[in-house]
Amino acid sequence: MATNRRNFISNIFAGGIGAAAFNLPGCKNAPGDGNKEAELLKSRYDQLDAVLAKPVFKHELFPDPVIIQSLELLKFERSFLCRIRSKDGAEGISVAHGDMRLLYPIFVKSLQPFFIGQDARRLDALMEKAYIYNLNYRCKGYALGIPVATIEFAILDMMGKIAGKPMGELIGTIHHTHIPLYQATEFREKPIEESMELIKNAVYESKAEAVKIKVGALMFMTKDLDAKGPANRTEQIIPLVRKTLGDQMALYADANGYYGVEEAISVGKLLAEYKYKFFEEPVQYDWLERTKQVKDAIPIPIAGGEQQHGIEEFRWYMAHDGIDIVQPNQYYFGGMLRSTKVARMAELMGKICTPHLSDGFGYIYMMHFMSTVPNAGPHIEFKGYAGIPIECKTSSLKLENGKIKVPTGPGSGVDIDPDFIKKHKLVEA
């Protein structure tokens, strides 16, 4: 099983990263060899911490201070925008995750005051301090991550416009100009036959060359305390999707933490039998050790990180070889800078970064982030387009031959319709 996983990773990294992968031996030591295991773990942590200590934002691109004069949250119907302006008149704008409708008090009361008057060139420090200021860490998780990320995206848009560079060039080196995507599907609550028709339609419309399906039962959007979903649905749909879409289609599966360890191992082995590429969140996201138990017992890679709240959880996963593929969500996790630190740790350990995607406009930020990740997976998640009126002069923003071209204009590289922006009104505390 370990050999299969190593072969998978080495195939992904055939372009060169594999040779630079983390050079420590595996965690499995002979009985009674506790000292060596402890030394190995310490060595890993030391190297991971050295990676985490490196700044992400390229402040050297900006010789003069960029003082934040205003930071606004704007709302129109279900849409939230963040607009930031500097004292010198530079402006940036970002699109918030839809759940800002639940979280806007954190934005306007706990974060907005902190950023006013700060020098945007110190973005690394600002992002760290934002989690501490006003005891904000008590809101840790996506409740804090979404507002923080929304602000960071607006700052990066503004700074990119000042420097004349896309967001990616502010946080790293561009490794990918086109991002290969897999079509995520969300039809777990529906009968098998209906699910298959919806999956086929989604693939046809997006022209994606890879697909992720859901396994397990629906755990949310229901008050039923005993909801289990259709009997044997997972056991039926895993082979059916493979048979329907063919051997050439890259397939992935996501349990959203539905299973216990033993069930997850059983499903993981079935996925391996039908040549699925990874198994995402087989158990609850915060079951770090139990996630590792599943990983060690099945022959396909384990992916996780969509719901992780902090750097420390990814640090543990990397040091203990707990997952194969890291999936920080740029909105939930608090932005691109924090996600870049996770990707760097994964690169050090010879692992893959395939971020989780949420909300329509999020794919714009995901593409800029992934353009800088050398250890990117073969396909990145895609759930649909922006859903708001935008224009991009440097990319069609459409899936073509399984890939989307990353915008190369300054900042986000995307212009939101000014008339649409004018419809938004200021959200106040």
Side-chain angles (χ1 to χ4, degrees):
M1 288 181 284
T3 300
N4 288 342
R5 182 175 289 107
R6 283 195 296 271
N7 288 342
F8 175 88
I9 300 296
S10 63
N11 287 339
I12 296 301
F13 293 152
I17 186 66
F22 199 79
N23 58 5
L24 290 174
C27 277
K28 295 180 180 179
N29 296 295
D33 210 7
N35 288 338
K36 288 185 178 179
E37 184 172 346
E39 290 173 3
L40 171 61
L41 198 58
K42 181 180 184 304
S43 178
R44 286 182 169 178
Y45 274 127
D46 286 346
Q47 294 189 54
L48 290 166
D49 290 344
V51 167
L52 290 173
K54 296 178 181 178
V56 176
F57 184 68
K58 296 180 180 179
H59 61 88
E60 66 273 11
L61 294 174
F62 306 91
D64 301 316
V66 182
I67 305 303
I68 298 171
Q69 183 173 53
S70 65
L71 177 65
E72 301 170 309
L73 184 64
L74 309 173
K75 180 181 184 297
F76 169 66
E77 295 179 345
R78 295 176 62 86
S79 169
F80 285 87
L81 304 176
C82 174
R83 183 168 59 200
I84 190 167
R85 292 187 174 113
S86 74
K87 285 188 175 181
D88 294 329
E91 181 177 301
I93 196 159
S94 67
V95 179
H97 187 282
D99 282 349
M100 186 65 83
R101 71 190 189 279
L102 307 173
L103 306 173
Y104 67 86
I106 295 173
F107 183 107
V108 296
K109 293 182 179 181
S110 296
L111 291 168
Q112 191 177 43
F114 168 69
F115 284 90
I116 303 300
Q118 300 283 5
D119 187 346
R121 296 180 303 171
R122 301 195 63 196
L123 192 54
D124 281 286
L126 287 174
M127 290 300 105
E128 290 187 17
K129 186 69 173 181
Y131 271 75
I132 300 170
Y133 174 77
N134 202 29
L135 301 178
N136 283 336
Y137 52 79
R138 290 177 175 174
C139 301
K140 196 173 183 180
Y142 104 138
L144 183 59
I146 287 176
V148 168
T150 302
I151 294 169
E152 184 201 88
F153 298 154
I155 293 175
L156 287 172
D157 186 51
M158 177 179 71
M159 300 302 272
K161 290 171 180 174
I162 293 172
K165 296 180 180 295
M167 288 178 168
E169 291 191 26
L170 304 184
I171 63 173
T173 301
I174 302 301
H175 294 278
H176 312 287
T177 60
H178 295 71
I179 306 299
L181 301 174
Y182 67 74
Q183 176 66 52
T185 60
E186 306 282 348
F187 312 123
R188 176 166 40 203
E189 78 283 6
K190 300 183 183 299
I192 292 281
E193 295 77 11
E194 185 179 355
S195 294
M196 279 308 313
E197 286 303 311
L198 291 169
I199 290 170
K200 287 191 294 183
N201 289 341
V203 173
Y204 175 79
E205 289 177 9
S206 69
K207 297 180 173 56
E209 298 177 351
V211 179
K212 185 174 77 175
I213 67 166
K214 299 290 189 177
V215 295
L218 190 69
M219 297 185 297
F220 51 92
M221 297 172 68
T222 176
K223 293 182 179 180
D224 184 353
L225 302 182
D226 301 308
K228 296 293 183 183
N232 299 318
R233 181 183 186 281
T234 291
E235 291 75 12
Q236 294 176 53
I237 201 165
I238 289 172
L240 182 58
V241 171
R242 171 56 73 199
K243 178 181 178 181
T244 302
L245 299 182
D247 292 339
Q248 300 307 310
M249 180 69 73
L251 298 180
Y252 306 92
D254 183 3
N256 287 117
Y258 178 75
Y259 297 110
V261 171
E262 294 305 317
E263 287 180 299
I265 291 172
S266 177
V267 171
K269 290 179 178 178
L270 184 62
L271 290 168
E273 179 182 346
Y274 287 93
K275 297 180 173 56
Y276 282 65
K277 299 295 186 181
F278 69 57
F279 188 10
E280 180 178 339
E281 275 192 358
V283 298
Q284 287 288 319
Y285 73 89
D286 53 353
W287 292 4
L288 305 188
E289 292 184 356
R290 280 179 273 192
T291 298
K292 177 174 169 54
Q293 288 178 33
V294 178
K295 172 189 175 295
D296 290 344
I298 65 174
I300 66 171
I302 292 294
E306 164 191 350
Q307 312 291 350
Q308 301 321 135
H309 298 161
I311 293 287
E312 185 63 24
E313 296 158 40
F314 284 108
R315 179 175 174 266
W316 188 95
Y317 269 141
M318 295 298 95
H320 291 267
D321 193 25
I323 55 176
D324 300 295
I325 300 167
V326 298
Q327 296 181 299
N329 180 307
Q330 276 73 76
Y331 275 121
Y332 300 169
F333 195 57
M336 295 189 203
L337 272 64
R338 287 163 57 83
S339 297
T340 296
K341 289 180 178 290
V342 171
R344 287 176 176 180
M345 286 194 291
E347 181 186 5
L348 175 71
M349 293 295 290
K351 297 180 182 294
I352 294 168
C353 179
T354 301
H356 179 263
L357 176 66
S358 60
D359 236 44
F361 200 85
Y363 83 107
I364 301 293
Y365 303 129
M366 176 275 294
M367 287 194 293
H368 284 294
F369 166 63
M370 286 309 298
S371 72
T372 71
V373 176
N375 51 319
H379 303 99
I380 312 301
E381 187 164 25
F382 177 69
K383 290 183 176 178
Y385 298 103
I388 63 174
I390 59 174
E391 180 184 9
C392 181
K393 297 180 178 65
T394 59
S395 170
S396 69
L397 299 180
K398 299 294 184 181
L399 200 58
E400 299 171 358
N401 299 318
K403 299 179 180 181
I404 295 183
K405 184 178 185 294
V406 183
T408 56
S412 72
V414 173
D415 297 315
I416 302 172
D417 183 349
D419 291 333
F420 179 72
I421 296 175
K422 289 177 182 178
K423 294 179 180 180
H424 291 69
K425 304 300 181 183
L426 184 66
V427 178
E428 298 182 299

